[in-house]
Short mmCIF file of all heavy atoms in Angstrom, two decimals:
data_model
loop_
_atom_site.label_atom_id
_atom_site.label_comp_id
_atom_site.label_asym_id
_atom_site.label_seq_id
_atom_site.Cartn_x
_atom_site.Cartn_y
_atom_site.Cartn_z
N ASP A 1 -14.40 4.19 38.81
CA ASP A 1 -13.68 5.22 38.18
C ASP A 1 -13.54 5.01 36.63
O ASP A 1 -12.91 5.83 35.92
CB ASP A 1 -12.29 5.43 38.71
CG ASP A 1 -12.45 5.99 40.20
OD1 ASP A 1 -13.39 6.68 40.40
OD2 ASP A 1 -11.57 5.66 40.99
N ALA A 2 -13.98 3.73 36.16
CA ALA A 2 -13.75 3.38 34.75
C ALA A 2 -14.48 4.38 33.86
O ALA A 2 -15.51 4.91 34.14
CB ALA A 2 -14.41 1.94 34.58
N ILE A 3 -13.92 4.60 32.70
CA ILE A 3 -14.49 5.47 31.68
C ILE A 3 -14.68 4.66 30.55
O ILE A 3 -13.83 4.64 29.47
CB ILE A 3 -13.55 6.66 31.38
CG1 ILE A 3 -13.19 7.48 32.78
CG2 ILE A 3 -14.20 7.67 30.44
CD1 ILE A 3 -12.24 8.54 32.67
N PRO A 4 -15.71 3.91 30.28
CA PRO A 4 -15.91 2.95 29.25
C PRO A 4 -15.88 3.64 27.91
O PRO A 4 -15.46 3.03 26.86
CB PRO A 4 -17.24 2.30 29.50
CG PRO A 4 -17.40 2.49 30.88
CD PRO A 4 -16.69 3.74 31.35
N ALA A 5 -16.33 4.99 27.84
CA ALA A 5 -16.23 5.58 26.44
C ALA A 5 -14.91 5.54 25.81
O ALA A 5 -14.77 5.87 24.59
CB ALA A 5 -16.94 6.86 26.61
N CYS A 6 -13.91 5.51 26.70
CA CYS A 6 -12.48 5.63 26.13
C CYS A 6 -12.24 4.49 25.22
O CYS A 6 -11.23 4.49 24.48
CB CYS A 6 -11.59 5.69 27.29
SG CYS A 6 -11.49 7.26 27.96
N LYS A 7 -12.96 3.47 25.20
CA LYS A 7 -12.68 2.22 24.37
C LYS A 7 -12.94 2.68 22.93
O LYS A 7 -12.47 1.94 22.00
CB LYS A 7 -13.46 1.06 24.74
CG LYS A 7 -14.85 1.11 24.39
CD LYS A 7 -15.52 -0.31 24.89
CE LYS A 7 -17.00 -0.33 24.42
NZ LYS A 7 -17.67 -1.60 24.65
N TRP A 8 -13.66 3.74 22.65
CA TRP A 8 -14.02 4.25 21.36
C TRP A 8 -12.99 5.27 20.85
O TRP A 8 -13.09 5.56 19.61
CB TRP A 8 -15.35 4.78 21.29
CG TRP A 8 -16.42 3.72 21.66
CD1 TRP A 8 -17.28 3.60 22.75
CD2 TRP A 8 -16.70 2.57 20.78
NE1 TRP A 8 -17.83 2.41 22.63
CE2 TRP A 8 -17.65 1.73 21.60
CE3 TRP A 8 -16.19 2.01 19.54
CZ2 TRP A 8 -18.17 0.58 21.03
CZ3 TRP A 8 -16.80 0.87 19.07
CH2 TRP A 8 -17.59 0.10 19.74
N VAL A 9 -12.07 5.66 21.60
CA VAL A 9 -10.96 6.42 21.14
C VAL A 9 -10.20 5.75 20.04
O VAL A 9 -9.92 4.39 20.29
CB VAL A 9 -9.98 6.95 22.07
CG1 VAL A 9 -8.83 7.74 21.70
CG2 VAL A 9 -10.76 7.79 23.17
N HIS A 10 -9.94 6.20 18.86
CA HIS A 10 -9.36 5.46 17.85
C HIS A 10 -8.25 6.26 17.04
O HIS A 10 -8.27 7.42 16.99
CB HIS A 10 -10.42 4.95 16.88
CG HIS A 10 -11.22 5.95 16.10
ND1 HIS A 10 -12.29 6.57 16.82
CD2 HIS A 10 -11.14 6.66 14.95
CE1 HIS A 10 -12.88 7.42 16.03
NE2 HIS A 10 -12.18 7.47 14.93
N ALA A 11 -7.44 5.37 16.42
CA ALA A 11 -6.37 5.97 15.50
C ALA A 11 -6.90 6.07 14.14
O ALA A 11 -7.76 5.38 13.66
CB ALA A 11 -5.14 4.97 15.49
N ILE A 12 -6.27 7.03 13.40
CA ILE A 12 -6.79 7.29 12.03
C ILE A 12 -5.54 7.08 11.25
O ILE A 12 -4.39 7.89 11.22
CB ILE A 12 -7.26 8.76 11.78
CG1 ILE A 12 -8.32 8.94 12.65
CG2 ILE A 12 -7.42 9.01 10.38
CD1 ILE A 12 -8.92 10.41 12.83
N PRO A 13 -5.25 5.97 10.48
CA PRO A 13 -4.03 5.61 9.93
C PRO A 13 -3.75 6.34 8.57
O PRO A 13 -3.89 5.69 7.43
CB PRO A 13 -4.16 4.07 9.70
CG PRO A 13 -5.60 3.86 9.49
CD PRO A 13 -6.25 4.99 10.36
N ASN A 14 -3.41 7.61 8.65
CA ASN A 14 -3.16 8.50 7.51
C ASN A 14 -1.65 8.44 7.01
O ASN A 14 -1.37 8.98 5.96
CB ASN A 14 -3.68 9.84 7.67
CG ASN A 14 -5.09 10.01 7.22
OD1 ASN A 14 -5.65 9.25 6.42
ND2 ASN A 14 -5.84 10.75 7.91
N GLY A 15 -0.73 8.07 7.92
CA GLY A 15 0.75 8.31 7.65
C GLY A 15 1.35 6.87 7.67
O GLY A 15 0.60 5.78 7.71
N GLY A 16 2.57 6.86 7.50
CA GLY A 16 3.37 5.66 7.64
C GLY A 16 3.90 5.14 6.21
O GLY A 16 3.31 5.45 5.27
N SER A 17 4.64 4.09 6.44
CA SER A 17 5.13 3.31 5.22
C SER A 17 3.97 2.58 4.53
O SER A 17 3.23 1.86 5.20
CB SER A 17 6.30 2.49 5.57
OG SER A 17 6.76 1.71 4.61
N ARG A 18 4.09 2.52 3.33
CA ARG A 18 3.01 1.75 2.59
C ARG A 18 3.60 0.65 1.61
O ARG A 18 2.84 0.27 0.82
CB ARG A 18 2.25 2.83 1.60
CG ARG A 18 1.68 4.08 2.28
CD ARG A 18 0.58 3.47 3.24
NE ARG A 18 0.06 4.65 3.85
CZ ARG A 18 -0.89 4.64 5.01
NH1 ARG A 18 -0.97 3.54 5.57
NH2 ARG A 18 -1.35 5.76 5.47
N GLY A 19 4.84 0.22 1.77
CA GLY A 19 5.34 -0.83 1.05
C GLY A 19 6.88 -0.89 1.18
O GLY A 19 7.39 0.23 1.59
N SER A 20 7.58 -2.02 0.80
CA SER A 20 8.95 -2.01 0.95
C SER A 20 9.64 -1.44 -0.33
O SER A 20 10.97 -1.26 -0.21
CB SER A 20 9.38 -3.49 1.24
OG SER A 20 8.83 -4.35 0.17
N THR A 21 8.98 -1.32 -1.37
CA THR A 21 9.64 -0.70 -2.46
C THR A 21 8.81 0.59 -2.91
O THR A 21 7.80 0.86 -2.50
CB THR A 21 9.59 -1.75 -3.70
OG1 THR A 21 8.27 -1.80 -4.19
CG2 THR A 21 10.21 -3.05 -3.38
N LYS A 22 9.55 1.40 -3.73
CA LYS A 22 8.89 2.59 -4.14
C LYS A 22 7.67 2.31 -5.04
O LYS A 22 6.61 3.02 -4.82
CB LYS A 22 10.00 3.48 -4.99
CG LYS A 22 9.42 4.84 -5.29
CD LYS A 22 10.45 5.66 -6.11
CE LYS A 22 9.95 7.05 -6.46
NZ LYS A 22 10.82 7.87 -7.05
N ASP A 23 7.72 1.32 -5.88
CA ASP A 23 6.61 0.88 -6.70
C ASP A 23 5.41 0.58 -5.69
O ASP A 23 4.22 0.87 -5.99
CB ASP A 23 6.93 -0.06 -7.59
CG ASP A 23 5.89 -0.47 -8.56
OD1 ASP A 23 5.31 0.54 -9.17
OD2 ASP A 23 5.49 -1.64 -8.62
N GLN A 24 5.61 -0.32 -4.71
CA GLN A 24 4.55 -0.70 -3.86
C GLN A 24 3.89 0.43 -3.14
O GLN A 24 2.81 0.59 -2.92
CB GLN A 24 5.17 -1.71 -2.79
CG GLN A 24 5.22 -3.11 -3.22
CD GLN A 24 5.77 -3.94 -2.23
OE1 GLN A 24 6.65 -3.58 -1.32
NE2 GLN A 24 5.20 -5.29 -2.01
N ALA A 25 4.94 1.32 -2.54
CA ALA A 25 4.40 2.44 -1.81
C ALA A 25 3.54 3.40 -2.65
O ALA A 25 2.52 3.84 -2.19
CB ALA A 25 5.51 3.30 -1.21
N MET A 26 3.93 3.64 -3.87
CA MET A 26 3.05 4.46 -4.91
C MET A 26 1.75 3.72 -5.11
O MET A 26 0.76 4.36 -5.10
CB MET A 26 3.79 4.64 -6.17
CG MET A 26 5.10 5.69 -6.07
SD MET A 26 6.02 5.93 -7.43
CE MET A 26 4.86 6.73 -8.53
N ARG A 27 1.73 2.52 -5.40
CA ARG A 27 0.52 1.81 -5.62
C ARG A 27 -0.33 1.77 -4.41
O ARG A 27 -1.67 2.21 -4.52
CB ARG A 27 0.75 0.37 -5.97
CG ARG A 27 -0.40 -0.37 -6.63
CD ARG A 27 -0.06 -1.83 -7.15
NE ARG A 27 1.25 -1.96 -7.66
CZ ARG A 27 2.23 -2.81 -6.88
NH1 ARG A 27 1.70 -3.41 -5.84
NH2 ARG A 27 3.42 -2.93 -7.32
N VAL A 28 0.00 1.49 -3.25
CA VAL A 28 -0.77 1.52 -2.02
C VAL A 28 -1.26 2.90 -1.76
O VAL A 28 -2.38 3.11 -1.33
CB VAL A 28 0.07 0.81 -0.81
CG1 VAL A 28 -0.78 0.95 0.37
CG2 VAL A 28 0.19 -0.70 -1.16
N GLY A 29 -0.19 3.91 -1.83
CA GLY A 29 -0.65 5.25 -1.64
C GLY A 29 -1.78 5.66 -2.48
O GLY A 29 -2.77 6.34 -2.05
N ALA A 30 -1.74 5.34 -3.74
CA ALA A 30 -2.82 5.69 -4.70
C ALA A 30 -4.18 5.09 -4.27
O ALA A 30 -5.21 5.59 -4.30
CB ALA A 30 -2.54 5.28 -6.07
N GLN A 31 -4.04 3.76 -3.86
CA GLN A 31 -5.34 2.97 -3.45
C GLN A 31 -5.86 3.71 -2.20
O GLN A 31 -7.08 3.98 -2.13
CB GLN A 31 -4.93 1.57 -3.07
CG GLN A 31 -4.73 0.82 -4.27
CD GLN A 31 -4.26 -0.60 -3.86
OE1 GLN A 31 -3.81 -0.88 -2.75
NE2 GLN A 31 -4.32 -1.59 -4.84
N LEU A 32 -5.12 4.09 -1.22
CA LEU A 32 -5.60 4.81 0.13
C LEU A 32 -6.04 6.14 -0.30
O LEU A 32 -7.17 6.46 0.23
CB LEU A 32 -4.44 4.80 1.04
CG LEU A 32 -4.04 3.45 1.62
CD1 LEU A 32 -2.74 3.54 2.45
CD2 LEU A 32 -5.07 2.71 2.39
N LYS A 33 -5.53 6.82 -1.15
CA LYS A 33 -5.92 8.18 -1.51
C LYS A 33 -7.41 8.02 -2.11
O LYS A 33 -8.27 8.83 -1.90
CB LYS A 33 -5.00 8.91 -2.42
CG LYS A 33 -5.32 10.22 -2.71
CD LYS A 33 -4.30 11.06 -3.53
CE LYS A 33 -4.68 12.48 -3.70
NZ LYS A 33 -3.58 13.28 -4.39
N ALA A 34 -7.60 7.02 -3.00
CA ALA A 34 -8.82 6.71 -3.65
C ALA A 34 -9.93 6.44 -2.52
O ALA A 34 -11.05 6.58 -2.71
CB ALA A 34 -8.74 5.68 -4.74
N GLU A 35 -9.48 5.77 -1.48
CA GLU A 35 -10.36 5.40 -0.43
C GLU A 35 -10.72 6.58 0.68
O GLU A 35 -11.40 6.39 1.49
CB GLU A 35 -9.76 4.24 0.46
CG GLU A 35 -9.74 2.82 -0.38
CD GLU A 35 -9.04 1.82 0.42
OE1 GLU A 35 -8.77 2.11 1.57
OE2 GLU A 35 -8.82 0.73 -0.11
N GLY A 36 -9.94 7.61 0.33
CA GLY A 36 -10.29 8.84 1.22
C GLY A 36 -9.23 9.21 2.24
O GLY A 36 -9.53 10.14 2.97
N VAL A 37 -8.09 8.56 2.19
CA VAL A 37 -7.03 9.03 3.08
C VAL A 37 -6.59 10.52 2.75
O VAL A 37 -6.51 10.80 1.64
CB VAL A 37 -5.86 7.98 3.01
CG1 VAL A 37 -4.75 8.62 3.74
CG2 VAL A 37 -6.27 6.71 3.63
N LYS A 38 -6.49 11.35 3.81
CA LYS A 38 -6.11 12.69 3.52
C LYS A 38 -4.86 13.04 4.39
O LYS A 38 -4.72 12.88 5.47
CB LYS A 38 -7.25 13.64 4.07
CG LYS A 38 -8.68 13.31 3.49
CD LYS A 38 -8.85 13.98 2.10
CE LYS A 38 -10.26 13.85 1.72
NZ LYS A 38 -10.32 13.68 0.19
#
């Protein structure tokens, strides 16, 4: 009954906290946006 294809189901990390300070969050957010996060 195993469904091996399920091992390829994956998360898309587009949300969540990006740093402990506002400056860090803005910097990491800008980097991720440049990398294609939508």
Side-chain angles (χ1 to χ4, degrees):
D1 294 331
I3 306 174
C6 284
K7 75 179 184 176
W8 296 110
V9 176
H10 58 276
I12 302 169
N14 276 328
S17 177
R18 303 296 186 196
S20 57
T21 67
K22 185 176 180 179
D23 185 53
Q24 277 181 325
M26 288 177 64
R27 192 173 336 110
V28 173
Q31 289 171 341
L32 292 172
K33 188 172 183 179
E35 291 175 6
V37 168
K38 303 275 188 219

